Amino acid sequence: MNKSSPEPKIPADIDAVRSYNAHMGLWLFAFYLIAYVGFVVLAATSPEIMGRPAWGGVNVAILYGFGLILGAFVVSIVYMLLCRTPRSTS
């Protein structure tokens, strides 16, 4: 039994929504990538800076690393808010 089902109706503006979501994702990824590259470059070129105590006796490397983790979480929330589907008011 090979019944072909009709294709689901896709809104005409779905390509625009996908394009916008991809665009926002790439910009946020680029922002986070810059922060991560900064961490790697600082760790590779200035290990003495990364080893300095910064706040509460915790060194810069640990604070920067936790900042990157927190930053990834914040970027994901921003992406979710920017790319949510608007609800119609009618």
Side-chain angles (χ1 to χ4, degrees), residues 63-75:
L63 289 178
Y64 203 149
F66 275 112
L68 285 172
I69 293 168
L70 181 62
F73 183 69
V74 169
V75 165

Side-chain angles (χ1 to χ4, degrees), residues 21 28 74-85:
N21 290 352
L28 291 170
V74 169
V75 165
S76 68
I77 291 173
V78 169
Y79 180 75
M80 179 187 68
L81 293 173
L82 287 174
C83 297
R84 65 182 172 186
T85 306

Side-chain angles (χ1 to χ4, degrees), residues 8-19:
K9 297 283 185 185
I10 298 175
D13 63 344
I14 193 73
D15 287 333
V17 171
R18 287 179 181 165
S19 176

Side-chain angles (χ1 to χ4, degrees), residues 28-77:
L28 291 170
F29 175 74
F31 171 75
Y32 186 79
L33 184 63
I34 290 168
Y36 184 76
V37 167
F39 176 80
V40 172
V41 168
L42 191 61
T45 61
S46 301
E48 65 279 352
I49 291 175
M50 294 297 265
R52 287 185 194 160
W55 182 64
V58 179
N59 66 23
V60 173
I62 299 297
L63 289 178
Y64 203 149
F66 275 112
L68 285 172
I69 293 168
L70 181 62
F73 183 69
V74 169
V75 165
S76 68
I77 291 173

